[in-house]
Each structure stands twice: as C-alpha cells, then as structure tokens.
Amino acid sequence: MLRFCKIFPVLYLFLSSVLCFAQNDEKPFVQNFSLEESYTKNNEWYWKKSKPFADYWQQDVHYNIQATLNDSTQIISGKEWLVYVNNSPDTLKEVFFHLYQNAFQPGSYHDDLYKNNKTKAIYGKYEKLGLNTFVKDVYVEESSRRILLRTNMNNTILQVKLNKPLAPNAQVKFYLEFDTYFDNGGNVRRRMKTFTHNNYKHFDGVHWYPRIAVYDAKRRWDTDQHLNKELYGDFGSFHVELTLPNHYIAEATGTLVNENEVLPTDLKQKLDVKNFASKKIGDTPSVIILPNGTSKKWIYEAINVHDFAWTADPTYRISEAKTKKGVRCIAICQEESAGGWQTAAQLTAKIIETYSADFGEYTWPKIVVADARDGMEYNMLTLCGGTSPSYTSLFAHEVGHMWFYGILGSNETYRAMMDEGFTQFLNIWFLEKNRKNVKSDLTIVSPKDANLYYPYLRSAVDASQLPLNTHSDQFYSQIGHGGGYGTVYYKTGTMLYNLQYVLGDSLFQAAMKNYYYQWMFKHPYPEDFRNSITAFVKTDLSWFFDQWIETNKTIDYAVKKVKRSDSGFYNITFSRTGRMQMPLDFTVELKSGKKISYHIPNNYFVKKTEAQVLDPWIGWDKVRQNYTAHIKTDEKIVNVLIDTTYRLADINQLDNSLKPYNKLKFDNLKYQPVNNRYYQEYWRPDVWYNAVDGIKAGLHYEGYYFKRDHFISTTIWYNSAIGETDNQPRKEIFMDYVSFMFKYSNPLRKIDDNLSWYYDTRVLDGLGLIETGLIKNLKNNHSLNLNYKHFVRYRERDMTYLLYPELWNVNKRNETINLDWTKKYNRLKSSGQFNFGLRTSGPFSDYNYATLKPELLHNINLGKLQFKNRLVGYYISGTNVAPESQLYMAQANPEEMMDSKFTRSRGFVPEEWLGFGESLNHFHHGGGLNLRGFSGYLVPAASNDTVEISYRGFSGAAYNVEMDFSKLVNFKPKKLARYFFLATYLFFDAGTIST
Ligand SMILES: [Zn+2]
C-alpha cells in the first residue's frame, strides 16, 4: 500500500476501498501484449543494432496502459503493465518511478522552492488534498500470479523494492493502477491541464502515468525530484487504450490503430479544418458529435518512444499534410482557432523537411501539432497555441524538439542544454532560412540576433552566470527561467553557430548529422556530443567545448592597428582581450572598394574556406594576446572588419573594425531595437522655459553601445530670453546665453564585472555642477555608490533662478564626498529598499558639515491598493552647514530640487504657490521629512519659554504613509501617460525636527 499523503488518512482509506472494488470487477491478466515481442525484431532503429560504442547499453521498456477519462470529475484512471528489460551489467534490487504531477501539491519539493523564492503557490481543490497521481499498489506479474511489492513514496519519486533481484538481461513485468487528477484551480503552471472554453472541456494528458526512471551508465538511477523543469525517459514501446467520452477528438503519441473506427472518413470530412476557415476566436463551435453518455476507445501504438502523451477536445478540427518522405503531419485546432490554422499542417511538414535535410531524417511515422494553449514537446506530439503566422517560431521550436529530446533522448533534467539549447538552435535555423529580407544591412536585427546572440551577449558579461554544464534545477534554485537558466537556450544555440563558424558550414552539418544518427534513440550526455563531433572532425576541439560548456569566458577581439610597411605590404594587428580563443575571419576593404577575406586558424585545423589562410594564432588568455597579419597589397587599406558573417559571438563589436560604426537617427520617442554592430545615437529637439532664460531652445542627444556600454546623454540649450519675466542683464555665453547638461556612464568590466562609473556635469539655470562616482553592485541586491559632487552659484544673477533665493548663498562652493549603501528587496506581497547615506564636506568646500541619513521605503501590495511607507532619519552636524543642503520639514531641500526640471528654476511653478508663511500652499516637492501638511507653512516650535517659527532644521525623523488608489481612480491620458498622470492617494505624515 502506498500512502500518497500523510495528512489525509481518512480520504486515502476511502479511495483505496473504491479502487479495490473496481479491481474485483475486472478480468485480470487479459494482456497478451505483442508489441514488446516484435519490438526488437522488426525495429530497424533498435539501439542494439547501432551502438554508439561497443559497451554501450540502455534499458528497454514496454508499456501497456488502459485508461479512462471521467471528464466531469476530471480524473483519469488507468491500469499499467510495464515490461522492463535490464540490459545493464548490474543486478537490480529496486526500481524507481516518477510521479511528476505530485510536484504540484502543498509540501512538495517544488512547493518548497516556490516558498523560498517568495512566490505564493495557490492550489486547486485536488492539489490541496495532495491528489495528483495516486498509485495504489505495485505488483510483479509472474505467469498467472501477482506479487505485491514493497514501496516507498517520496513526493514525485516512488521507490519499488523487487521481490527478487533482476539479473542482467532478465526482464520483469510490473502491474499497477493509478488515478491522475486534472486540476485547474491553482496558479502553478502545470503542463498536464484542463480548461473550459465555450462550455467545452479541453484535456492535455501529459506526464500523467507512473513512468519508470532511467537507469543509465553515467548516473545509474535517475531519482531527481521533479521541479517543473525537464524530463528523462527510457526508449521502448507503448500500447495505450484511452477511453474518452464519445464526443472528444483525441491525438496522441504513436499510430492510431483503430482510426477507421474512431475517425471514419465521413467524420473526418466533417472535422476538416477547411470547413471552419471563417471561424473567429470566441465563436460558438459547431456541434459535430453529440455527447450521448457513451465512450470511445482510442488505441495508439508507438515504438522507439520514451513517453506517451495525449490531448483531447470536443472542438478539435483536423488537417493533414505529408512530407516528401511520407511523414504524416497532423494539425488539430480548436474550432475557434480554425481561421488561423488553415496551413498549420503544411508549415509543420516544411519544418520537418528542413531539419531532415540539414540535420538528419525524421524517423517517426507522424507528428502532431495541437492548439492547446501551450508550448511543449512530447514524442510525436507538440502542444502549441497561437495562430498563423505568429505561431511559426513556436512550431519550429516544438517540432525541433523531436530531434533533440525526442529521437535523441538526453537526460534534460541533468543537462537542459542538450534538448533546449539544440532545439533553440534548430528553431532559429528554420527562421533564418525562411526570412524574407536577408540583406546584409547592419541595422536589421535577425532572428538569430534577437533570439540567440543578444540574450547571450547581454548575459555573457554577467560574472554570476553559471556554465552550461549545470543541472537544470540548480541555476541558483530559481523558479521558471530565473537564475540564468535561459542560458541553456541561447548560449547553447550561440555555441552551435560558433561551432559552425569554427568548422565551416559543410563539415559542421555533416558532423551534426553524424551525431544525430549515432545517438538516435539513445541517451547522449554532453560528453557524448563532444566525443562524437571530435571523432568525426578528427581534430582536437576540447579548447572549444571546454570554453563554451564548462566556463563563462567571453570572446573579445579587436582590430588594433593597420600600418603600411615598406614594399606593398600592410601589417594588421589584432588583439584578444577576452579570455576565450577562437579562429579569426576578417575582411580587408581596399580603396577601390575591393574586399579580400582572410582566415587565421587557432591551431593546425583549417576549415574549408574561400579566404586566404594565414599562419595560425596559437594562444589563449594571457598567451600571445596580439597577432600581426602581414598582408600584401599595393592598394590602400581603408577598413578591416572581423567576421562579416556575425557568427563570432564577440561581446564588444565596436572595436571589430578599423573604423567603428555609429548611426545617428532622429529620436521619434518610439522603441528602438538594440543593435550590437554599431554605436546607436539619437537626437531630438528639446524646448523648455524658465523665468530668467525665457524659452530655451535645445538639442538633445543620447548614445549607447548595445544599451550596455558608453551611455551618453547630453542637452544644449540656447536661452532666447523670449518670454522671460526677470529682465536680468545677460553677459556670459555659458550661463546666460547657453546652458547644457552632460552625462556619461560605462561599466568598468576590465577592473570588476560589477563596477561602473559615471560623470555628470551641468551649467544650467544658474548652477555649475560636477559629479562623478563609482557604483558597485554587490550580491543579493546590495549596491554601493561612492561619489564626489561639487556645485556653486557664482553670481547674484544665478540666484534669480531659484524658487527660494534666500536659501542659497552666492559664490559658495558646496563640495561633498558621499557614500550610499542601498539594499533592495522583493517579497511575496511587499517590496522596497533601505538606503544608508553618509556625506562629508570636501577639502575645497566653503562649507563644513556632515550628514547621516537612513531611509526605508516599504511598499505593501494589497491588490488594487498600494500601501507605501517611508521611514527617514536625518542627522546633520557641522560648523557651517550649506543652507541648500539642510533638512526641510515639508519637502526636498533646494539641492534636491535641482534634480527636477520643474523645480530647478522659476517659471514653471506659479509664484503664488511658493514661499513660506502663515498659511499652507499648493506646492510640494517630495523629500526631506516630507511632512506634507506643512507645505509652505512656518511652523511654530516651542523651545523653553519662547516660540520660534521655522520650516527647516538639522536633524529629525519622520514617518510618511500613503494609501495609493491610483489603480482604482486613475487619470492616464493614453498618449501622454509617459509624461503625465494623476496619482490619487491619501497620506499621513508624522515627524520631529530640531532646528
Ligand atoms: Zn523547448
């Protein structure tokens, strides 16, 4: 007996009695399953007929499952016979089964992972009770006896002790019964699912039956708990009889044995997707088969598969196409999607033909693409979604999995790169082959860049990235694709394009095909892939695979200099600043426009190339960081470009040509795609106004490389005096006629991967400012910002800009050194940050003071309401405190007001809103103690016997609360939402200040 859940013994007893009853009712031992006997004889792809190496072995499995779906209780009940053949050299005393669905219940390993990632798992009615896949007893069948086995359940792993040891080459037949519960009440993404649409129920039966774990030569038993990542299974045969309510249309792994019975020609014609071409999403589906309380049995058989999945929906409509080699490509969609699924079967055939031609033949008889609100692969079956043509990439991905996951059955839980990465590569391969505009235009972001290179190049510079050779559950134990898990997709895909670059196109494809045929219907690990490619190419590739799979080293080459030597020769010097070595392709552009290609191998292997092959550049890391190519030419070299095929995944391509590229564009404020091939620059006009300068007509410029390096943002204004209200005499060009601001920031990766610096300078609205600092990001969202800042208002005229001129001194340099430590946090229902700021005056300052400021911002998310808290303390001490940097009771101090274009000068905020007096005013700029009730109010403060009035001070503390209901009551004009919106909130502030 198995206890599936310790907390519910009563329910468990109830269920077992139901099952015992059911068992007495049926005829035992009816199975004379023939697939397993014919499996090896008639199977040309059986692994023993083409072992990858002499002593390779893998286990064989033969499943026979009879299952019935109750669509109202949403339970599928099954009986499972499994013949298990031990081909290993070991004698087995126990076996293990995966009950994947048990991951989705309270108290599971997966549940624990959710909790520790501060994510709330909500469970449906069955899940709450721990009802996922329930296995009652496990037996061994021997002739006409059933022997009950001892079992031990640990969440998703069921350990089964054999009644007697299973010797090498012996086999055993298991029998078990199970119930698997479909639940749609939770929030945890489950692939096995049901949903209702237009009053019809849809079912996806995946990872739904007890599946024996793989016993392989590398790891022996695979007992990894299921954490909603990847899967692994033994190859063999499946005979599955699925009994469904009569009106469901099903598809599944394998050949539909009784097609004539369940899908006779006349019914198939009625279900033809062409009949529903005009259907729209949400349209009521037609009734083709009336539910009548009876059921239909769908019988499927498959060989050379390692899993069996099915999908069923009363509104499935069918189309079919065949590949040139005769593979049946079946597309089934819900009737409401039929308008967008007219060519789904043809697209699938095209994908199958592309991969077959380029990477090895598809060897199963059929493939199904199903419209199932998903994106997931099973043997011969993909559960997809979307409509034409946006589903193309998803199809290309899921169908690609038939090669890597399906036919090559790697342990993807252990190394997800083996299926997800290779599949992502095929996915992009298909999109690249079928893209319309394949101009060699620098500005076009191709599918390869968008889906592989850019995500890879962005993450490659992050020192915390784990190498590809990481267990899929161990990417910092994050859920979903967090923790750098995405790297298994895009880094692997990028690696394969780089392998193509290294080997040359034809050898790469031949080696990939060889790997596929060598490991077809077997279980390759990363080392098997490496060995296969190396053996085929017959050269050392350990330098390549070690770098890409075992490390997070990056590629960075540069064209360093080009120099004419005496007699019609040029010396072109390249440098390698990244730690990864690769061979180098480069192109020389001559003055006449002629282009010549060269290739520098990095060892004695030379790829097939049209380029002129130069001496090898042997070196890595700190060994031979430079290389000089000696090029014969009488013509002037105008440019040198590294790898014009853009496959070399160089993290910084700005230095990959003699002349770095940049492109200046008008900034239309729309989203601009990022590009790694040139420096992106944008300009736009900028108009502002203040009371002293009048209308400021300006030009704004910003630039960056790959939205990662060399950020520049600068604006320069001509102060027209039009509309000025001050009549101040104008004398100096800078300050009076021209204002500007300039900002630059860049990472300092050469020193530290998490360090960057910035420089900020302004001559604007009477203020001259310089600030420069270092930002260091530490682990766990901690960061440090150390900066030097100084600013001054030189002249009396510069004071006239100020909203509060009396709060600033003329020609006094306020120079400070500041250190801020910030910790950000994100919890289940709250988020915020703690900041601790220290400031001291610099050596050339006209003031002398120090500030200490702890501040906590804590937001509590109550659905549509945001509960915002701020706790702040100030301590300012010194003999000479700058008035603009003091603590203000109701608002930001004048120094902070300089950071906002609205408050750095008069002219925007109406004058009558300003000033301090005996009544409140309308103007408020957040900051200081933020006691909003005192805006513009001179607060009487009792000290001893006298009453002083004030609005600023030196130390204090405050607590500010806001109940923000902007999500309930909001005003966000669509087009202007970026600039204006109305926040609605209630606030409460309390604080104390000492003057
Ligand atoms: Zn995938």
Side-chain angles (χ1 to χ4, degrees):
M1 287 287 195
L2 295 178
R3 292 193 52 180
F4 63 97
C5 176
K6 287 188 184 117
I7 326 166
F8 299 101
V10 178
L11 186 69
Y12 150 68
L13 284 173
F14 166 73
L15 276 168
S16 11
S17 60
V18 171
L19 289 172
C20 288
F21 174 74
Q23 194 182 316
N24 294 339
D25 217 24
E26 45 91 6
K27 294 171 270 159
F29 319 133
V30 288
Q31 297 313 304
N32 280 315
F33 182 44
S34 60
L35 260 186
E36 77 206 50
E37 285 115 47
S38 62
Y39 179 72
T40 53
K41 266 185 284 170
N42 303 328
N43 181 4
E44 59 169 316
W45 300 111
Y46 185 50
W47 65 271
K48 278 186 186 166
K49 294 180 183 167
S50 62
K51 291 187 186 183
F53 46 83
D55 57 351
Y56 179 83
W57 55 267
Q58 69 187 37
Q59 310 292 62
D60 290 330
V61 293
H62 304 287
Y63 286 89
N64 180 353
I65 301 172
Q66 301 185 353
T68 303
L69 172 73
N70 181 331
D71 70 338
S72 53
T73 60
Q74 303 181 176
I75 302 171
I76 184 158
S77 306
K79 299 185 180 72
E80 176 174 323
W81 289 263
L82 165 64
V83 176
Y84 182 74
V85 187
N86 179 17
N87 297 312
S88 83
D90 308 333
T91 297
L92 306 178
K93 292 183 179 151
E94 60 183 356
V95 301
F96 294 85
F97 283 84
H98 290 286
L99 307 177
Y100 294 114
Q101 296 308 320
N102 290 0
F104 310 105
Q105 55 180 255
S108 69
Y109 290 88
H110 182 254
D111 181 62
D112 196 50
L113 194 62
Y114 254 56
K115 278 195 188 123
N116 293 328
N117 278 290
K118 316 232 157 62
T119 307
K120 172 111 180 125
I122 299 166
Y123 293 107
K125 60 172 182 174
Y126 287 136
E127 292 169 340
K128 269 186 205 154
L129 299 172
L131 291 170
N132 297 85
T133 290
F134 168 65
V135 178
K136 208 182 75 171
D137 295 324
V138 181
Y139 300 91
V140 155
E141 271 192 11
E142 284 179 3
S143 51
S144 58
R145 290 190 312 141
R146 273 184 192 162
I147 302 153
L148 181 65
L149 301 178
R150 279 191 298 129
T151 59
N152 177 25
M153 173 91 117
N154 185 344
N155 190 209
T156 67
I157 293 290
L158 174 66
Q159 182 186 31
V160 177
K161 305 273 186 195
L162 296 175
N163 56 320
K164 59 185 182 207
L166 183 64
N169 299 315
Q171 63 180 53
V172 59
K173 187 173 194 173
F174 296 102
Y175 172 75
L176 55 89
E177 290 175 9
F178 65 92
D179 284 311
T180 294
Y181 296 74
F182 285 88
D183 202 330
N184 50 350
N187 74 339
V188 179
R189 185 170 82 161
R190 268 174 88 174
R191 303 287 191 177
M192 193 197 80
K193 66 176 183 292
T194 180
F195 56 84
T196 303
H197 61 108
N198 270 308
N199 299 319
Y200 289 101
K201 274 191 181 172
H202 175 109
F203 289 91
D204 291 332
V206 306
H207 316 138
W208 58 289
Y209 62 94
R211 183 199 204 184
I212 199 157
V214 177
Y215 187 78
D216 69 21
K218 184 180 170 87
R219 296 173 81 223
R220 267 36 189 195
W221 282 114
D222 160 41
T223 58
D224 292 341
Q225 288 287 344
H226 185 53
L227 294 175
N228 214 1
K229 284 265 165 64
E230 307 288 328
L231 308 122
Y232 188 30
D234 276 319
F235 282 101
S237 69
F238 278 79
H239 172 99
V240 179
E241 300 183 8
L242 272 179
T243 302
L244 306 174
N246 75 305
H247 60 300
Y248 279 83
I249 307 299
E251 255 308 349
T253 303
T255 304
L256 179 57
V257 177
N258 60 340
E259 187 165 351
N260 292 337
E261 191 187 319
V262 292
L263 277 180
T265 317
D266 59 327
L267 175 60
K268 241 183 155 173
Q269 278 165 0
K270 286 184 203 159
L271 295 172
D272 193 319
V273 77
K274 287 196 220 72
N275 305 336
F276 311 95
S278 58
K279 283 280 174 173
K280 300 219 161 50
I281 302 287
D283 279 0
T284 312
S286 4
V287 179
I288 291 177
I289 311 170
L290 269 173
N292 61 7
T294 64
S295 55
K296 250 187 193 176
K297 191 184 274 182
W298 299 68
I299 304 172
Y300 292 92
E301 285 189 347
I303 62 169
N304 300 319
V305 292
H306 50 76
D307 195 9
F308 182 93
W310 57 273
T311 176
D313 191 307
T315 76
Y316 267 148
R317 306 299 173 237
I318 306 173
S319 63
E320 191 169 331
K322 260 203 175 108
T323 67
K324 289 184 195 108
K325 296 259 165 91
V327 178
R328 289 182 70 178
C329 303
I330 300 165
I332 49 170
C333 66
Q334 297 163 43
E335 190 182 299
E336 58 182 69
S337 313
W341 275 64
Q342 293 295 311
T343 53
Q346 287 75 8
L347 171 63
T348 308
K350 189 178 176 185
I351 298 169
I352 295 262
E353 281 170 351
T354 302
Y355 299 157
S356 289
D358 296 349
F359 298 100
E361 287 296 333
Y362 185 82
T363 31
W364 284 325
K366 84 170 202 194
I367 172 84
V368 179
V369 289
D371 172 29
R373 295 190 190 170
D374 212 317
M376 186 66 185
E377 69 282 3
Y378 305 93
N379 290 227
M380 301 187 210
L381 170 71
T382 68
L383 300 186
C384 302
T387 50
S388 177
S390 63
Y391 59 27
T392 306
S393 183
L394 181 64
F395 278 26
H397 183 93
E398 304 310 338
V399 172
H401 268 304
M402 299 304 116
W403 276 254
F404 301 108
Y405 146 83
I407 291 167
L408 266 62
S410 291
N411 185 344
E412 32 167 24
T413 318
Y414 184 67
R415 292 294 181 265
M417 64 170 280
M418 296 301 286
D419 72 310
E420 291 305 348
F422 281 69
T423 297
Q424 187 70 359
F425 172 72
L426 287 195
N427 183 170
I428 301 312
W429 184 272
F430 180 81
L431 297 182
E432 284 287 337
K433 273 202 138 174
N434 289 285
R435 80 189 239 238
K436 300 244 158 54
N437 46 0
V438 198
K439 297 189 283 183
S440 61
D441 184 341
L442 275 180
T443 59
I444 288 178
V445 178
S446 66
K448 172 173 135 277
D449 285 334
N451 300 293
L452 295 178
Y453 276 65
Y454 288 4
Y456 163 67
L457 292 171
R458 258 191 285 279
S459 69
V461 298
D462 173 0
S464 69
Q465 280 291 316
L466 292 168
L468 283 174
N469 231 351
T470 299
H471 193 292
S472 68
D473 293 331
Q474 292 184 12
F475 283 87
Y476 296 108
S477 282
Q478 302 280 300
I479 53 177
H481 282 197
Y485 180 70
T487 199
V488 303
Y489 289 76
Y490 45 70
K491 185 173 181 184
T492 311
T494 306
M495 173 186 86
L496 291 172
Y497 270 113
N498 278 265
L499 185 60
Q500 185 200 32
Y501 166 87
V502 168
L503 298 180
D505 300 4
S506 54
L507 185 61
F508 166 74
Q509 254 175 269
M512 288 292 282
K513 261 189 194 168
N514 178 68
Y515 163 62
Y516 174 73
Y517 286 120
Q518 186 184 6
W519 283 94
M520 201 177 223
F521 304 118
K522 298 168 204 100
H523 306 298
Y525 278 91
E527 57 269 31
D528 299 316
F529 168 67
R530 296 177 54 152
N531 293 342
S532 173
I533 300 290
T534 304
F536 187 82
V537 176
K538 299 182 188 65
T539 192
D540 174 33
L541 286 168
S542 60
W543 61 271
F544 179 87
F545 292 119
D546 284 351
Q547 292 180 130
W548 279 94
I549 299 177
E550 312 288 341
T551 76
N552 57 9
K553 290 178 185 172
T554 52
I555 302 170
D556 191 0
Y557 283 90
V559 180
K560 217 173 161 188
K561 66 177 181 230
V562 176
K563 212 177 160 191
R564 183 168 219 152
S565 67
D566 319 319
S567 49
F569 279 90
Y570 270 90
N571 285 333
I572 305 174
T573 304
F574 297 94
S575 72
R576 185 188 58 245
T577 47
R579 297 191 62 203
M580 208 193 272
Q581 59 153 322
M582 289 285 278
L584 220 54
D585 287 342
F586 70 94
T587 303
V588 167
E589 278 179 19
L590 301 176
K591 204 176 174 194
S592 62
K594 199 178 154 198
K595 290 176 185 171
I596 312 169
S597 305
Y598 296 90
H599 172 65
I600 310 171
N602 63 330
N603 52 42
Y604 291 98
F605 170 79
V606 178
K607 70 174 169 186
K608 207 174 146 194
T609 173
E610 313 267 278
Q612 293 186 33
V613 178
L614 303 173
D615 288 342
W617 181 354
I618 293 165
W620 57 91
D621 217 344
K622 303 244 185 265
V623 178
R624 299 232 189 254
Q625 288 179 303
N626 296 307
Y627 174 100
T628 300
H630 204 49
I631 304 294
K632 185 176 178 350
T633 172
D634 296 324
E635 243 187 275
K636 192 174 185 252
I637 290 179
V638 292
N639 204 358
V640 176
L641 300 102
I642 293 174
D643 181 31
T644 48
T645 67
Y646 299 100
R647 284 174 299 175
L648 183 73
D650 191 304
I651 58 160
N652 175 15
Q653 302 200 0
L654 279 183
D655 57 12
N656 282 20
S657 53
L658 189 60
K659 288 191 240 157
Y661 287 102
N662 62 314
K663 279 197 192 295
L664 179 66
K665 274 189 178 176
F666 175 71
D667 184 4
N668 55 9
L669 296 177
K670 285 191 185 137
Y671 170 76
Q672 299 292 343
V674 180
N675 199 306
N676 73 330
R677 297 182 191 170
Y678 56 90
Y679 190 77
Q680 288 171 275
E681 298 175 299
Y682 300 94
W683 71 273
R684 62 169 187 260
D686 185 291
V687 179
W688 200 245
Y689 168 81
N690 71 43
V692 185
D693 299 329
I695 290 174
K696 296 165 80 79
L699 202 61
H700 178 76
Y701 164 95
E702 58 190 58
Y704 45 76
Y705 173 63
F706 204 41
K707 275 209 175 149
R708 194 190 67 194
D709 299 347
H710 304 295
F711 288 91
I712 294 175
S713 170
T714 184
T715 316
I716 185 156
W717 292 270
Y718 170 69
N719 303 327
S720 74
I722 298 169
E724 55 125 336
T725 57
D726 261 55
N727 294 316
Q728 290 286 330
R730 306 205 296 169
K731 287 180 208 144
E732 289 173 43
I733 292 201
F734 275 103
M735 299 305 269
D736 296 344
Y737 289 95
V738 175
S739 323
F740 77 91
M741 65 193 297
F742 172 86
K743 279 181 190 171
Y744 173 80
S745 69
N746 196 36
L748 292 168
R749 276 189 292 274
K750 293 249 160 72
I751 301 168
D752 184 312
D753 284 304
N754 297 308
L755 191 67
S756 58
W757 78 283
Y758 65 94
Y759 178 78
D760 187 351
T761 185
R762 268 179 254 173
V763 173
L764 179 63
D765 295 5
L767 185 76
L769 175 141
I770 289 175
E771 181 177 346
T772 181
L774 288 169
I775 296 175
K776 164 94 177 159
N777 291 314
L778 304 161
K779 273 185 187 167
N780 299 324
N781 297 317
H782 288 267
S783 66
L784 285 175
N785 177 348
L786 176 67
N787 69 68
Y788 168 87
K789 181 178 184 183
H790 94 238
F791 53 90
V792 64
R793 287 180 180 276
Y794 291 103
R795 309 164 302 165
E796 281 296 343
R797 185 186 190 275
D798 299 334
M799 307 301 283
T800 60
Y801 289 91
L802 288 166
L803 270 61
Y804 301 106
E806 68 279 13
L807 304 181
W808 209 298
N809 295 323
V810 185
N811 202 13
K812 293 271 185 193
R813 186 202 294 258
N814 189 346
E815 179 199 46
T816 56
I817 296 158
N818 302 279
L819 178 68
D820 282 281
W821 164 57
T822 306
K823 155 85 183 163
K824 289 186 177 147
Y825 59 88
N826 231 321
R827 299 206 187 116
L828 214 55
K829 285 197 156 178
S830 64
S831 62
Q833 68 173 54
F834 178 71
N835 184 77
F836 190 84
L838 283 174
R839 158 177 279 198
T840 179
S841 292
F844 308 106
S845 184
D846 290 320
Y847 297 107
N848 183 13
Y849 68 100
T851 306
L852 186 153
K853 179 190 168 193
E855 184 183 33
L856 173 72
L857 301 173
H858 182 66
N859 297 332
I860 303 170
N861 192 349
L862 303 171
K864 295 233 163 185
L865 290 178
Q866 297 280 324
F867 187 48
K868 296 178 180 173
N869 296 270
R870 175 177 182 255
L871 199 60
V872 67
Y874 273 86
Y875 179 76
I876 304 175
S877 85
T879 51
N880 185 8
V881 183
E884 68 269 19
S885 305
Q886 274 192 30
L887 170 62
Y888 283 67
M889 191 180 314
Q891 64 191 49
N893 61 31
E895 178 191 342
E896 291 164 327
M897 284 163 74
M898 292 306 110
D899 294 332
S900 161
K901 67 202 291 185
F902 298 101
T903 56
R904 68 184 175 223
S905 174
R906 286 185 301 120
F908 203 86
V909 179
E911 304 270 324
E912 56 271 26
W913 287 11
L914 301 172
F916 293 94
E918 283 166 23
S919 65
L920 302 180
N921 65 25
H922 304 293
F923 173 69
H924 172 254
H925 183 285
L929 290 181
N930 211 42
L931 305 179
R932 283 161 280 197
F934 298 103
S935 288
Y937 183 55
L938 291 173
V939 184
S943 86
N944 300 329
D945 292 336
T946 59
V947 174
E948 292 172 11
I949 47 171
S950 186
Y951 49 86
R952 55 178 169 155
F954 299 102
S955 52
Y959 174 52
N960 313 118
V961 203
E962 276 172 28
M963 182 65 84
D964 188 321
F965 44 93
S966 300
K967 281 188 185 166
L968 290 174
V969 183
N970 81 33
F971 169 75
K972 269 190 187 179
K974 251 193 181 170
K975 288 200 168 164
L976 297 172
R978 268 175 71 170
Y979 311 99
F980 291 107
F981 69 94
L982 187 74
T984 42
Y985 58 89
L986 290 171
F987 66 83
F988 167 81
D989 304 309
T992 168
I993 188 166
S994 90
T995 52

